[in-house]
Amino acid sequence: MEFRADGTFVEYLIGRGDAPEPGPTGRWAADGRLTAGSGTPAHFTTTADRLDITWQH
C-alpha cells in the first residue's frame, strides 16, 4: 500500500510475472478510517513499527 499526503492510498496487487500493479485508489483519514476503492470500510491503528488494518466485510 502507498499512503499519499492528499488522503488517498493505492493497494498494490500481484500482477503479471509477480510485478506489483496498482489497484483501485481508496481514501484514508487521520482518525483511523480507511475506505477501499471498492467502498469497503476499514479501521487502522499504528505503533512505532506496525500498521494494523481491520477490513470490515
Side-chain angles (χ1 to χ4, degrees), residues 25-47:
T25 303
R27 304 277 313 157
W28 66 271
D31 65 0
R33 288 180 294 127
L34 295 174
T35 304
S38 63
T40 303
H43 186 267
F44 68 91
T45 56
T46 61
T47 61

Side-chain angles (χ1 to χ4, degrees):
M1 294 182 112
E2 174 187 346
F3 290 90
R4 299 175 177 165
D6 66 355
T8 61
F9 71 89
V10 176
E11 285 186 81
Y12 284 92
L13 310 171
I14 299 172
R16 188 177 199 111
D18 294 334
E21 289 184 0
T25 303
R27 304 277 313 157
W28 66 271
D31 65 0
R33 288 180 294 127
L34 295 174
T35 304
S38 63
T40 303
H43 186 267
F44 68 91
T45 56
T46 61
T47 61
D49 63 345
R50 187 177 180 114
L51 171 66
D52 289 314
I53 300 173
T54 305
W55 294 104
Q56 299 166 0
H57 300 282

